[in-house]
Coordinates of all heavy atoms in Angstrom, one line a residue:
L104 N 129.9 -1.1 -100.2 CA 128.9 0.0 -100.1 C 128.9 0.8 -101.4 O 127.8 1.1 -101.9 CB 129.2 0.9 -98.9 CG 128.9 0.3 -97.6 CD1 129.3 1.3 -96.5 CD2 127.5 -0.1 -97.4
E105 N 130.0 1.1 -102.0 CA 130.1 1.9 -103.2 C 129.5 1.1 -104.4 O 128.7 1.6 -105.2 CB 131.5 2.2 -103.5 CG 131.7 3.1 -104.8 CD 131.0 4.5 -104.7 OE1 130.7 4.9 -103.5 OE2 130.8 5.1 -105.7
T106 N 129.8 -0.2 -104.4 CA 129.2 -1.1 -105.5 C 127.7 -1.1 -105.4 O 127.0 -1.0 -106.4 CB 129.8 -2.5 -105.4 OG1 131.2 -2.4 -105.5 CG2 129.2 -3.4 -106.5
S107 N 127.2 -1.3 -104.2 CA 125.7 -1.3 -104.0 C 125.1 0.0 -104.3 O 124.0 0.1 -104.9 CB 125.4 -1.7 -102.5 OG 125.9 -2.9 -102.2
R108 N 125.8 1.1 -104.0 CA 125.2 2.4 -104.3 C 125.1 2.6 -105.8 O 124.1 3.1 -106.3 CB 126.1 3.5 -103.7 CG 125.6 4.9 -103.9 CD 126.6 5.9 -103.4 NE 127.7 6.0 -104.3 CZ 127.7 6.7 -105.4 NH1 126.7 7.4 -105.8 NH2 128.8 6.7 -106.2
L109 N 126.2 2.2 -106.5 CA 126.1 2.3 -108.0 C 125.0 1.5 -108.6 O 124.4 1.9 -109.6 CB 127.5 1.9 -108.6 CG 128.7 2.8 -108.2 CD1 130.0 2.3 -108.8 CD2 128.5 4.2 -108.8
K110 N 124.8 0.3 -108.1 CA 123.7 -0.5 -108.6 C 122.4 0.1 -108.4 O 121.5 0.1 -109.2 CB 123.8 -1.9 -108.0 CG 125.0 -2.8 -108.5 CD 124.9 -4.2 -107.9 CE 126.1 -5.0 -108.4 NZ 126.1 -6.4 -107.8
L111 N 122.2 0.7 -107.2 CA 120.9 1.3 -106.9 C 120.7 2.5 -107.8 O 119.6 2.8 -108.2 CB 120.9 1.7 -105.4 CG 120.8 0.6 -104.4 CD1 120.9 1.1 -103.0 CD2 119.5 -0.2 -104.6
V112 N 121.8 3.3 -108.0 CA 121.6 4.5 -108.9 C 121.3 4.0 -110.3 O 120.4 4.6 -111.0 CB 123.0 5.3 -108.9 CG1 122.9 6.3 -110.0 CG2 123.2 5.9 -107.6
Q113 N 121.9 2.9 -110.8 CA 121.6 2.4 -112.1 C 120.1 1.9 -112.2 O 119.4 2.1 -113.2 CB 122.5 1.3 -112.5 CG 122.4 0.8 -113.9 CD 123.4 -0.3 -114.2 OE1 124.2 -0.7 -113.4 NE2 123.4 -0.8 -115.4
L114 N 119.7 1.3 -111.1 CA 118.3 0.8 -111.1 C 117.3 1.9 -111.1 O 116.3 1.9 -111.8 CB 118.1 0.0 -109.8 CG 116.6 -0.6 -109.6 CD1 116.2 -1.5 -110.7 CD2 116.5 -1.3 -108.3
E115 N 117.6 3.0 -110.4 CA 116.7 4.2 -110.4 C 116.6 4.8 -111.7 O 115.6 5.3 -112.2 CB 117.2 5.2 -109.3 CG 117.0 4.7 -107.9 CD 117.6 5.7 -106.9 OE1 118.2 6.7 -107.3 OE2 117.4 5.5 -105.7
Q116 N 117.8 4.9 -112.4 CA 117.8 5.4 -113.8 C 116.9 4.6 -114.7 O 116.2 5.1 -115.6 CB 119.2 5.5 -114.3 CG 120.1 6.6 -113.5 CD 121.5 6.5 -113.9 OE1 121.9 5.6 -114.7 NE2 122.3 7.5 -113.5
E117 N 117.1 3.2 -114.6 CA 116.3 2.4 -115.5 C 114.8 2.6 -115.2 O 114.0 2.6 -116.1 CB 116.7 0.9 -115.2 CG 118.0 0.5 -115.7 CD 118.1 0.4 -117.2 OE1 117.0 0.3 -117.8 OE2 119.2 0.5 -117.8
L118 N 114.4 2.7 -113.9 CA 113.0 2.8 -113.6 C 112.5 4.2 -114.1 O 111.3 4.3 -114.6 CB 112.8 2.7 -112.1 CG 113.0 1.3 -111.5 CD1 112.9 1.4 -110.0 CD2 112.1 0.3 -112.1
D119 N 113.3 5.2 -114.0 CA 112.9 6.6 -114.5 C 112.6 6.5 -116.0 O 111.7 7.1 -116.5 CB 113.9 7.6 -114.1 CG 114.0 7.9 -112.6 OD1 113.0 7.6 -112.0 OD2 115.0 8.4 -112.1
R120 N 113.5 5.9 -116.7 CA 113.4 5.8 -118.2 C 112.1 5.0 -118.5 O 111.4 5.3 -119.4 CB 114.6 5.1 -118.8 CG 115.8 6.0 -118.9 CD 116.8 5.5 -119.9 NE 117.4 4.2 -119.4 CZ 118.5 4.1 -118.7 NH1 119.1 5.2 -118.3 NH2 118.9 3.0 -118.3
A121 N 111.8 3.9 -117.7 CA 110.6 3.1 -118.0 C 109.4 3.9 -117.7 O 108.4 3.8 -118.5 CB 110.7 1.9 -117.1
R122 N 109.4 4.7 -116.7 CA 108.2 5.5 -116.4 C 108.0 6.6 -117.5 O 106.8 6.9 -117.9 CB 108.3 6.2 -115.0 CG 108.4 5.3 -113.8 CD 108.3 6.1 -112.5 NE 108.6 5.2 -111.4 CZ 109.7 5.2 -110.8 NH1 110.7 6.0 -111.2 NH2 109.9 4.4 -109.7
Q123 N 109.0 7.2 -118.0 CA 108.9 8.2 -119.0 C 108.4 7.5 -120.3 O 107.7 8.2 -121.1 CB 110.3 8.8 -119.3 CG 110.8 9.6 -118.2 CD 112.2 10.1 -118.4 OE1 112.8 9.9 -119.4 NE2 112.7 10.8 -117.4
Q124 N 108.6 6.3 -120.6 CA 108.1 5.6 -121.7 C 106.7 5.0 -121.6 O 106.2 4.4 -122.5 CB 109.1 4.4 -122.1 CG 110.5 4.9 -122.5 CD 111.5 3.8 -122.7 OE1 111.1 2.6 -122.6 NE2 112.7 4.1 -123.0
G125 N 106.2 5.2 -120.4 CA 104.8 4.7 -120.1 C 104.7 3.3 -119.8 O 103.6 2.7 -120.0
L126 N 105.8 2.6 -119.4 CA 105.7 1.2 -119.1 C 105.3 1.0 -117.7 O 105.5 1.8 -116.8 CB 107.1 0.6 -119.3 CG 107.7 0.7 -120.7 CD1 109.1 0.1 -120.7 CD2 106.8 0.0 -121.7

Side-chain angles (χ1 to χ4, degrees):
L104 289 178
E105 181 64 18
T106 302
S107 299
R108 186 187 68 82
L109 293 176
K110 289 182 178 179
L111 290 176
V112 170
Q113 185 179 2
L114 176 62
E115 291 176 355
Q116 292 174 352
E117 291 286 341
L118 292 177
D119 288 340
R120 285 196 295 268
R122 294 189 191 101
Q123 292 173 3
Q124 296 172 1
L126 299 178

